[in-house]
Amino acid sequence: MGFLHGKRALIVGIASQRSIAWGIANAMHREGAQLAFTYQNDKLKSRVEEAAAEFGSNIVLPCDVAEDAQIDAMYEALGRHWDGFDILVHSVAFAPREAIQGDFLDGLTREAFTIAHDISSYSLAALAKGARPMMQGRAGAIVTLTYLGGPRVVANYNVMGLAKASLEANVRYLAASLGPHGTRVNAISAGPIKTLAAAGISGFRKMLEYAENTAPLRRSVTIEEVGNVAAFLCSDLASGITGEVTYVDAGYNILG
Ligand code: 0WD
């Protein structure tokens, strides 16, 4: 029996089979969790439906996290399938392309800052708030995805680095807020992986090659490896861990 047997998990952030959220869904499904999925817009709907079918789920709901009404409607619809759930996976980020290339200040605008923080950090708290009544008292867990460009300066990551720093603080404040309700909140800081979101970051291929050549394990990580850690962090095996950032990056972050 898998270590997530009997758990229900809501997966937010599948855009393709390469998405980190796909790797997480795969690991959670393998470990026995029942899954539900959201999609950002009609363009992504069929891909997410494919994922759901592959993972034995028929719960596929629209949710653009930029819209409060869509978040509310998504939880209302989810409530018609499930009376509660145990796991929330947040694997969503966005910043306007011109703000994630070249010089930090040259590409920075108030609008880019606002969008990056809204979609990449606020959305975690918004989804957690909406989930609170359904996750209440169930020994549940929330996991989100962050990157080293939050605590450190990484070329081209720019305003997304600010948003990830906010996201990591968000994880700590949410952990403190939801701990008394029985919900743990953690982040995984993943090494570079070639996905749709990564393709938007200028110089991504160089970043990936550099990480592969210098990380202690001399390679990059896979969505399967990130998925396994997410499944662990959201399982009862990790019942003593909350408010943490766990690196899944082949050891890259320890380098000076
Ligand atoms: O190297 C990487 N790929 C890393 C990614 C290293 C470390 C962290 N991460 C993080 C990302 O910052 C993000 O938080 O992992 C998370 C997932 O990213 P991913 O799997 O790399 O990328 P992708 O497959 O593109 O999924 C992210 C999805 C969006 O995809 P697109 O490419 O269409 O922007 O986030 C979703 C969307 O599906 N998303 C939204 N969902 C709902 N509402 C919204 C929105 N407004 N905006 C983006």
Side-chain angles (χ1 to χ4, degrees), residues 24 103 122 190:
I24 295 175
D103 181 75
Y122 176 73

Side-chain angles (χ1 to χ4, degrees), residues 15 19-20 40 63-65 91-93 145-146 164 190 192-193 195-197:
S19 293
I20 293 175
Q40 181 191 352
C63 184
D64 182 332
V65 298
S91 187
V92 169
L145 273 301
T146 186
K164 291 301 193 192
I193 300 175
T195 62
L196 290 175

Side-chain angles (χ1 to χ4, degrees), residues 14-16 22 43-52 196:
I14 286 190
S16 77
W22 185 289
K43 231 172 60 193
L44 296 176
K45 185 178 180 189
S46 61
R47 294 238 191 89
V48 179
E49 281 174 345
E50 250 173 65
L196 290 175

Side-chain angles (χ1 to χ4, degrees), residues 99-100 146-150 154-161 164 201 207:
I100 44 176
T146 186
Y147 178 62
L148 187 62
V154 172
N156 298 314
Y157 207 62
N158 298 354
V159 74
M160 188 58 91
K164 291 301 193 192
I201 297 163
M207 207 162 103

Side-chain angles (χ1 to χ4, degrees), residues 1-6 30-32:
M1 198 161 63
F3 60 71
L4 290 175
H5 180 77
R30 185 196 66 222
E31 295 304 330

Side-chain angles (χ1 to χ4, degrees), residues 89-100:
V89 175
H90 173 274
S91 187
V92 169
F94 179 78
R97 191 177 279 251
E98 59 282 6
I100 44 176

